[in-house]
Amino acid sequence: MTGVEAPQEEKRRIFADLTPLRTSADYRRLWFGNTVSWVGQGMTTLAISLQVYDITGSAFSVGLVGLFSLVPLVVFGLYGGAIADTVDRRTLGLVGATGAAALSAALAAAAFAGFHRVWFLYAIVALQAVCGALNAPARSAMIPRLLPPEQLRAANALNSMVMTFGTLVGPSLGGVVVGFAGYQTAYTIDALAFFASLYAMWRLPSMPPEHTGAKRASVLDGLRFLGTRPNLRATFVSDLFAMILAQPKALFPAVAVLWFGGDAKTTGLLVAAPAFGALLGGVISGWQGRIRRHGQAILVSVAAWGLAIAAFGLSRNLWIGLLCLAVAGYADTSSMIFRNTMMQVAAPDEMRGRLQGVFIVVVAGGPRLGDFVAGSVADLTSPVVAITGGGLACVLGIGAFSLYARGFRRYDALDPKP
């Protein structure tokens, strides 16, 4: 190794591994297209919330936007995964992305026409969730067809950066666009942004089911499969400890005022801090390539999340609190990267779509249940007990689970067993 190559190798050990982008043109186009479309979706998400509030003046009505999105995502997430294991995944991805683009175009057309109806916005949000539930399992299950197994961890790190970047940049950009050019412009940009994703999927090779002679994919078969695969099942269970026991987001508005003497801007910082940490989790992920015990890494990451949340609950300095939340976001992304890699490598191709459907349901529903738990505990006791107690409960819970899930702790990426 030359003196020039050594620093480059060292960087790869620290920062995200870009090998999937260099070696696969199909993955590179898909990654770029997803990046553009995630930013556009982030813009539309904020624009719809702002428009609902402009029409109704009701925070409750804005809250219903999340409900109209959550229910179809949970209901259709499982079926979207089953469909992804039955049909050509490229075709399903094209259908989902086309539907989402058409819905954004409908939002733009309605805004240009001056048609401002809350029921219409709720209906669009629900249909967007259906498209997402169809598109996401297919899109995730495509990756193992495009890359060799040894590059999947790096690909999942790059994918995590796409989602977090869209979550951070999209709403901020959406607020600016709506403020200067109106809702119709934000929706139009989102509709056009989907063309990047559509073009990427159009260039992909056909991806029909590998077992064409098998019976039609069933949601129940996928759940039965998961029930007999302890390591894959453990990836979901471990994540639920973090999402249900240590989810402080619902309390951010209260603690911004009570603990830090702030306002809505402070709440925005609290919301952004975990996302910033999550983005760093993707950028600084090269070291993860040396980790073989993926199950053990997930357990450690979940425990780190719990400790960071518990420390946040004890902080009364805003900057220390933001640092704790950023550490939690970093740990969450690390856990997600290893979970997705395990699902893609250890699961057979005919089950990957359904497992991704279960993953969508868990990720969509878990934090909402966590918000309910945190809010309820805070009302009965205090925000300190809800946040710090929840973080410690997460650590204790994942510690007890690790004693039970010995096979999960020993999971070896070089000898993957579901």
Side-chain angles (χ1 to χ4, degrees):
M1 180 178 294
T2 66
V4 174
E5 292 171 338
Q8 293 176 342
E9 179 65 25
E10 185 63 27
K11 285 183 179 180
R12 282 197 291 270
R13 293 177 182 175
I14 298 173
F15 296 105
D17 185 355
L18 303 181
T19 301
L21 293 175
R22 289 196 299 266
T23 60
S24 172
D26 286 330
Y27 176 77
R28 185 166 59 248
R29 283 190 293 265
L30 190 63
W31 184 86
F32 177 76
N34 289 341
T35 300
V36 175
S37 62
W38 267 94
V39 172
Q41 289 173 72
M43 291 177 58
T44 290
T45 299
L46 181 75
I48 288 177
S49 296
L50 292 174
Q51 190 173 8
V52 169
Y53 188 76
D54 279 350
I55 295 171
T56 66
S58 166
F60 175 76
S61 297
V62 176
L64 286 178
V65 173
L67 182 63
F68 276 95
S69 175
L70 174 63
V71 173
L73 195 61
V74 170
V75 172
F76 286 91
L78 293 173
Y79 289 97
I83 295 171
D85 288 335
T86 304
V87 304
D88 188 319
R89 288 169 181 162
R90 170 182 174 271
T91 302
L92 182 60
L94 283 170
V95 169
T98 301
L103 291 170
S104 293
L107 284 170
F112 275 115
F115 184 75
H116 305 299
R117 298 291 186 275
V118 173
W119 65 264
F120 174 75
L121 297 175
Y122 287 158
I124 292 292
V125 166
L127 291 173
Q128 284 177 330
V130 172
C131 290
L134 294 175
N135 191 16
R139 190 169 53 197
S140 181
M142 289 176 187
I143 306 303
R145 295 278 196 99
L146 301 177
L147 297 169
E150 62 271 15
Q151 292 184 20
L152 291 179
R153 186 213 57 81
N156 285 315
L158 293 169
N159 292 342
S160 74
M161 293 166 59
V162 169
M163 293 183 289
T164 309
F165 181 78
T167 302
L168 280 171
V169 175
S172 302
L173 186 59
V176 173
V177 171
V178 169
F180 282 97
Y183 298 112
Q184 64 273 17
T185 304
Y187 297 142
T188 301
I189 292 174
D190 184 26
L192 295 175
F194 272 106
F195 280 98
S197 180
L198 285 168
Y199 172 76
M201 289 189 187
W202 184 261
R203 293 289 303 274
L204 291 176
S206 178
M207 296 186 192
E210 289 186 346
H211 297 271
T212 54
K215 63 179 181 180
R216 186 173 182 82
S218 164
V219 173
L220 291 178
D221 286 343
L223 294 175
R224 292 190 192 102
F225 172 83
L226 187 60
T228 60
R229 301 302 190 273
N231 287 334
L232 292 177
R233 188 171 65 249
T235 62
F236 295 103
V237 174
S238 59
D239 195 38
L240 287 173
F241 281 104
M243 289 190 294
I244 295 176
L245 298 177
Q247 183 61 253
K249 187 177 295 185
L251 303 180
F252 283 169
V255 302
V257 176
L258 297 175
W259 294 356
F260 305 117
D263 52 16
K265 297 185 183 67
T266 307
T267 303
L269 289 174
L270 296 177
V271 172
F276 178 75
L279 182 60
L280 284 181
V283 173
I284 307 176
S285 61
W287 59 272
Q288 296 172 356
R290 301 194 296 272
I291 305 297
R292 288 176 51 183
R293 305 291 182 184
H294 286 188
Q296 196 171 77
I298 292 171
L299 295 170
V300 171
S301 297
V302 173
W305 165 276
L307 286 173
I309 295 301
F312 169 72
L314 297 175
S315 64
R316 294 300 178 270
N317 178 279
L318 178 60
W319 297 109
I320 293 177
L322 293 175
L323 177 61
C324 291
L325 292 175
V327 171
Y330 187 98
D332 183 48
T333 291
S334 297
S335 172
M336 182 181 67
I337 291 170
F338 288 117
R339 288 198 315 272
N340 280 339
T341 303
M342 284 183 64
M343 282 191 290
Q344 291 171 342
V345 173
D349 180 77
E350 64 268 20
M351 286 291 174
R352 285 177 183 148
R354 277 166 284 186
L355 290 182
Q356 288 298 328
V358 175
F359 179 74
I360 288 174
V361 172
V362 171
V363 170
R368 272 69 176 188
L369 183 56
D371 288 341
F372 173 76
V373 171
S376 299
V377 174
D379 281 344
L380 294 173
T381 56
S382 70
V384 177
V385 173
I387 296 176
T388 298
L392 294 177
C394 172
V395 175
L396 293 175
I398 200 66
F401 180 69
S402 69
L403 297 177
Y404 165 78
R406 291 188 293 271
F408 187 58
R409 291 202 317 268
R410 294 194 294 265
Y411 177 90
D412 189 342
L414 299 182
D415 183 26
K417 292 182 174 63

